[in-house]
Structures are given as C-alpha cells and as structure tokens.
Amino acid sequence: AVTTIDTQPPPRYSSSSSIIMWYLLLLVGLASAAITDPKSRRTEYHVKSQNLHLDEILEELRELEEEFDERDLEEDTKEVRMLEARISNLEAEHDPDHDHAHCEEHEAECGGDVPECVSELLFCDGVDDCNHGEDEDDDRCDPEIVHVGSSFSGIATWGACENFHPHSAVVTITAAEQNEYYPSFVRVKGILSFEEDEHTHKIKTFQLRGLYSFARHELKMGPDHGEKGHYGVKCDFNLGDNDHADCHIVLSDSRDECAHFRADRY
Amino acid sequence: SEFAIRQADTMKSLRLLLVALAVVTAVLADQPSKKDSKKDSVDKLLERTGEITHELYAFEAKLDARLDPETIQRAGSLKHRLEEIEDPTCDDHEHQCGGDDPQCVNNLLVCDGHKDCRNGEDEDDCTVPVKAGDTFDGEVVFDNCIKSDPEHITFTVDSVSTAAFFTGFPVVNVHFEAETEDDDEEREASVPARGFYSFAEHAFHISSHDNMYGLDFYGEFDGHDFDRFVGNFIRVSSDEPCARFIFHREEDEDDDDDDDDDS
C-alpha cells in the first residue's frame, strides 16, 4: 500500500496510467538490472585482464627472441664438415703411428671410426669390403662429382715451370664414363685452361684425359691422346664436400708440381 | 479538453509502455547472445593462450638446440682431435687445465679433492665414466701380439673402487674376452685384469698381470665422448703398442638392441 500525502483520492483515469508507469518503472528496472548484471560484468573484466596478461607475456617473449636472435650464430653444418675434413687431413699427415693407419699404395682408407685399408679397386663396386660398408657409401660413390660440365676454378699460384703471375685456372669436365666392369673409377676427359698474361689475356688450353677415383676422392688427368701439352692436373676432393678441391697443375711426365690452386665448383 | 489530456496521457503511457517492452525484449533477446559472446571471448582467450604457449615451446626448443649436450660433446671431441695434432702444451705427467687461462698441473693433483687449477677445472669432472657391468666392444685396428688374432675384443668392467685418500685414481677390475675361430673349433678366452682409471688422462691403465701375456693395456677416452675409447696393448719389454682396438660402449641388455652389430 502506497501512502500518499495526497489525501484526495487519485483521479481514476490516472490509476491506469500510474499502474502503467509502475509497470514501466519495474520493467526498466529489470532491464537495467539485466544489462548491468554484475556477474557478466565481472566475467568481461576477467577476460580483459587475462588478455592483458597475455599481451604482457607475448611482449616479454618477443624481447627474449630478439635478444636471442642478436646472439644467434647458426651452426653452419657445412663449415663444421670442412673443419672436420681439415682436421682429418692433418691427422693423416701427423699420425705418429703412420705405419699403422696409413694405407699401402693402391689402397685407400675406408674412413670409418676404425681405420681400415681396402684396395682401391674394391670401392663402389656394389660389394661391401670395409667392415661397415663405408666403401659403398652413397655419398662417396656419387659420380655426380665429375658429371659432364663440372667446372672447377681457382687462382693458380705458379711456383715452378712457368714464370706466370697468379691467374685463374679452370678445369672443365667434357666427358665422363663409368664402366660397369670397372666401377671404382670414372674415366673423364676435360680441359685445363689458364691465363698466362694479364695484359693480353692470352689463354692456354690443354685437352686432358684421366680418371676420378672414388676411393681417393681424387681426379688425375694427363694430356689427351695426340696432345702436345705437357701439363696434367691432380685434384684432391679432401675438403669435406664435392664442391671444393685442392688442385695442382703438374708436369705430366715427371709429376713435378708447377702450380697450386684451391678450386671451387661453379 | 480533459479527454484530450487523458488521450494524450494514455497515448504517452502506451508509448512508454511500448518503449519499455521494446527495451525488455531487447534485453531478453540480448541475454542468449550475451551468453554466446561470453563463451566466445573465453574461447578466444583460450585460443590465444594456446598460441602463445606454442610460441613459447618453439622458443624453448631453439634454446635447447643451442644447449644440446650431444652437439657440445661433438664439438669437444673435434677440439680434442685438434689438440692431439698440436704440440703438447704440458709435460708428460701434467694435465692442462684449459680454458682461456692455460695452466699445467701435475696429474697426481687432478681430482684429489683440492683445487689446483686457477679455474678449478681439475676438480670439475670427477665421476668415473664407467660402472661395474659396463661392456665395451673393441674392433681391431692392427694386431701383432695377441695370440689368437681376434677381430673383436670385449672389455668389461667388473668393479670400480675409490680409495678415500687417493681419489684421483680409482681402482678398476676388468676382464677381456675374445672369441677366436680356429679351423676346427670356436674358443672363447676370458682374461681378468686390474688397474686404475686416471682422471687426468681420461684413461684406463691396466697392468700386465701374469695372465696378460706381458702386455699392458692403455685405454684412452677423448675427454668428451665417454662411449668410445682407443685401447692399446703395450709390450712391457719394448714399451711399444703392438695392438690397437677401438672400443665402443655396448648398450645395456635391457635396452632396445637396434645397433647394427654385424658380429
């Protein structure tokens, strides 16, 4: 019961409208209560604050990553391989028990953890001859290393034979054939060319032929049939991959070294 | 005019009522969608949390890859090979502390419980890398002195004991086993022997016992990889290595035997 100060009975027409007004108020109250339901507002608030936490974490993570990237030196596996190869080469030269680890002529190292020598003729012939089959290793027996068109070049430093200044020398493979009955070697033909004068840019070229030995990772070429040239080339692929070699230009008859170049495939 | 007012009043209140109704229905209609949006925002929150967690794991993996003990050990072994090629930096019976501040200390002082290196390296790593029961399989490199000419020799640790007052040189009991094939029979020889392990050299010194046929045995780890050592049999009379085997740790019996042994 609503007590009104007004003692006069309220006019009838207003009763309905006042009821309506009350209803209205009630409904509006309900509606507003529904809108501003404290529970849902709390949820929203929680979600917001959690999102802010996440933002903060993400930002911290980004900062850490940035710091890490500044210090990050990617381990270059290729570089590591080359380092290992250089150490191996030194070990072979330096080994105090040379006589035990070093192979006879026409033999080659299997290259596993346990030193072992196997005849050069048994590498890449499809039969395991090393104790752990290193002689048939796919990487080792990949004839791609001297595929036709392969070119190896570097700056040749002449120590004997000719009085040339250092200039680029190029060895290019023009033919390669692997005989199925003689699979340990690839027969190759190639061209050796080098500049002999930096002013005239005169270039000497020599037709060569020879063999690539899987066992030794070694390319040896001498003058082709009927060629008058007296130069040959010996390239050692002992630098850890198939794209770098240690090459020498030699006199084909005496095998004396004339020039040396570090060759890269290009 | 009163009627007019009443009309207007009623109209007003009706209009108000309508508005109120509209508001209420709107609110009521809003209720389920509000529930949905609540669920949505929580889902989004979870999704974001998942994404960030994923990123964190990826970052952690990058860090772990840097700290990978196997990589560190491989690098250490490579370094050791280099050091082997270089001239020795210390005398025969001395140990190189290493680090940025090289220093030589006598082998007898390594792992004696007292820091002798300025960087403390001599007391850093003093746990014997083998325990009783460990077995290593050795593959021949060359052999000019072992009677049966075996391809493989097994090196088994029987016991390791450290004297409290002389911790740098634990005593080890081991035995060697070799299978030999004569033309007609397979024989297995087992030879017990004893010696000590030297922390300074990361090596076993097994002394020529009566049953070692006058041979000493020296098995040296590279100091980083403790799953492999080079074993030399040494003629006591000439002090020359006359046989060498490369030993690899054999996995425990109860482990999955998936190493490619072609024995």
Side-chain angles (χ1 to χ4, degrees):
Chain A
V2 184
T3 50
T4 45
I5 308 158
D6 202 4
T7 48
Q8 277 186 1
R12 267 199 62 187
Y13 64 86
S14 63
S15 72
S16 66
S17 78
S18 76
I19 286 170
I20 287 169
M21 288 301 286
W22 279 118
Y23 262 124
L24 204 82
L25 272 173
L26 188 72
L27 282 171
V28 168
L30 265 176
S32 65
I35 288 168
T36 59
D37 171 24
K39 250 173 97 177
S40 80
R41 269 178 63 182
R42 215 176 321 157
T43 312
E44 255 172 68
Y45 169 76
H46 278 311
V47 170
K48 263 202 190 115
S49 68
Q50 290 302 329
N51 263 315
L52 283 175
H53 274 302
L54 284 185
D55 288 349
E56 216 173 296
I57 290 169
L58 201 59
E59 192 168 327
E60 258 179 69
L61 178 63
R62 292 273 177 274
E63 272 172 26
L64 278 175
E65 277 176 340
E66 213 170 287
E67 209 174 317
F68 179 82
D69 287 341
E70 275 172 24
R71 294 166 194 225
D72 190 19
L73 292 162
E74 258 315 313
E75 178 198 335
D76 189 347
T77 46
K78 203 168 161 181
E79 192 132 334
V80 174
R81 257 222 317 278
M82 288 192 130
L83 263 180
E84 272 179 335
R86 283 166 62 188
I87 291 175
S88 296
N89 296 338
L90 280 175
E91 278 171 343
E93 285 172 32
H94 166 274
D95 193 359
D97 323 294
H98 215 52
D99 44 342
H100 300 305
H102 206 62
C103 299
E104 308 281 322
E105 218 183 337
H106 306 303
E107 285 191 335
E109 270 278 353
C110 285
D113 186 39
V114 179
E116 194 185 344
C117 295
V118 162
S119 164
E120 244 186 301
L121 297 175
L122 298 177
F123 279 78
C124 307
D125 60 351
V127 180
D128 284 4
D129 300 287
C130 296
N131 275 333
H132 300 289
E134 293 98 342
D135 55 314
E136 302 302 320
D137 188 56
D138 286 344
D139 278 348
R140 181 179 214 138
C141 299
D142 187 3
E144 272 302 292
I145 191 167
V146 286
H147 70 261
V148 175
S150 301
S151 235
F152 306 97
S153 73
I155 304 293
T157 326
W158 291 79
C161 313
E162 305 271 8
N163 187 15
F164 292 153
H165 286 291
H167 281 303
S168 69
V170 187
V171 177
T172 307
I173 306 293
T174 54
E177 178 202 20
Q178 195 176 4
N179 187 315
E180 62 176 303
Y181 300 111
Y182 194 46
S184 323
F185 296 89
V186 183
R187 291 173 54 199
V188 290
K189 289 191 169 193
I191 297 168
L192 164 70
S193 54
F194 50 82
E195 287 182 342
E196 58 177 50
D197 190 322
E198 54 189 319
H199 304 301
T200 59
H201 288 297
K202 218 174 133 186
I203 290 177
K204 277 195 170 181
T205 59
F206 300 90
Q207 302 282 343
L208 306 175
R209 57 193 285 277
L211 296 173
Y212 174 75
S213 156
F214 289 122
R216 296 179 180 279
H217 311 279
E218 194 178 65
L219 176 68
K220 273 183 178 166
M221 297 199 284
D224 202 353
H225 293 306
E227 282 287 317
K228 287 204 178 56
H230 49 283
Y231 285 123
V233 164
K234 182 164 105 55
C235 284
D236 259 323
F237 290 84
N238 59 356
L239 296 167
D241 66 3
N242 294 346
D243 298 330
H244 301 88
D246 202 24
C247 293
H248 295 273
I249 298 172
V250 297
L251 288 177
S252 57
D253 36 19
S254 65
R255 304 281 165 87
D256 283 339
E257 279 178 19
C258 298
H260 170 240
F261 63 101
R262 239 302 292 277
D264 299 334
R265 182 192 295 270
Y266 76 91
Chain B
S1 76
E2 198 182 299
F3 175 75
I5 291 167
R6 261 180 61 189
Q7 269 289 62
D9 236 2
T10 327
M11 287 306 290
K12 215 193 223 166
S13 48
L14 266 177
R15 221 178 293 144
L16 273 168
L17 182 66
L18 272 173
V19 170
L21 265 175
V23 167
V24 170
T25 47
V27 167
L28 283 176
D30 208 25
Q31 277 302 77
S33 77
K34 217 187 183 69
K35 256 218 181 87
D36 275 357
S37 75
K38 209 191 282 183
K39 193 170 170 309
D40 270 357
S41 62
V42 172
D43 279 351
K44 274 210 187 79
L45 188 66
L46 281 173
E47 204 178 308
R48 265 195 84 194
T49 312
E51 278 169 19
I52 291 174
T53 310
H54 188 78
E55 257 184 77
L56 269 170
Y57 277 136
F59 183 59
E60 209 171 12
K62 260 166 80 177
L63 279 176
D64 285 344
R66 281 264 153 274
L67 302 168
D68 177 29
E70 212 171 293
T71 310
I72 291 166
Q73 180 217 291
R74 269 187 30 228
S77 293
L78 206 57
K79 198 171 99 184
H80 173 81
R81 283 168 63 187
L82 257 180
E83 285 162 359
E84 285 290 291
I85 295 170
E86 289 170 340
D87 290 337
T89 47
C90 291
D91 282 353
D92 246 359
H93 299 288
E94 285 184 329
H95 167 84
Q96 173 58 261
C97 297
D100 302 333
D101 178 22
Q103 183 191 354
C104 298
V105 300
N106 194 300
N107 279 351
L108 294 173
L109 303 176
V110 176
C111 292
D112 62 349
H114 180 275
K115 279 189 187 180
D116 301 283
C117 290
R118 283 186 294 268
N119 60 8
E121 192 267 352
D122 58 317
E123 302 300 320
D124 270 352
D125 195 5
C126 298
T127 42
V128 189
V130 294
K131 56 184 193 305
D134 282 4
T135 300
F136 290 80
D137 170 59
E139 205 180 318
V140 67
V141 178
F142 66 89
D143 174 5
N144 317 320
C145 52
I146 293 173
K147 261 198 287 192
S148 49
D149 237 356
E151 287 278 308
H152 286 261
I153 284 185
T154 318
F155 173 94
T156 308
V157 180
D158 296 326
S159 71
V160 181
S161 53
T162 308
F165 51 87
F166 198 49
T167 49
F169 299 88
V171 173
V172 289
N173 280 295
V174 302
H175 67 272
F176 295 95
E177 274 175 48
E179 271 183 29
T180 53
E181 276 184 55
D182 288 344
D183 298 335
D184 41 14
E185 53 172 338
E186 272 191 26
R187 285 185 309 157
E188 203 170 295
S190 175
V191 178
R194 72 189 265 128
F196 61 88
Y197 177 79
S198 156
F199 286 111
E201 304 165 279
H202 311 287
F204 297 104
H205 293 260
I206 307 296
S207 64
S208 50
H209 222 255
D210 287 349
N211 51 16
M212 282 281 287
Y213 311 110
L215 296 175
D216 270 337
F217 178 79
Y218 179 73
E220 190 181 15
F221 290 104
D222 73 0
H224 302 274
D225 178 357
F226 288 101
D227 291 329
R228 172 192 182 273
F229 68 87
V230 180
N232 286 318
F233 288 93
I234 297 158
R235 242 189 222 104
V236 181
S237 49
S238 64
D239 205 17
E240 282 285 310
C242 58
R244 174 175 303 158
F245 289 74
I246 309 269
F247 288 85
H248 283 273
R249 189 187 291 269
E250 285 191 343
E251 297 299 319
D252 290 343
E253 296 290 311
D254 39 84
D255 277 12
D256 288 357
D257 242 10
D258 51 8
D259 46 348
D260 38 22
D261 251 313
D262 38 36
S263 44

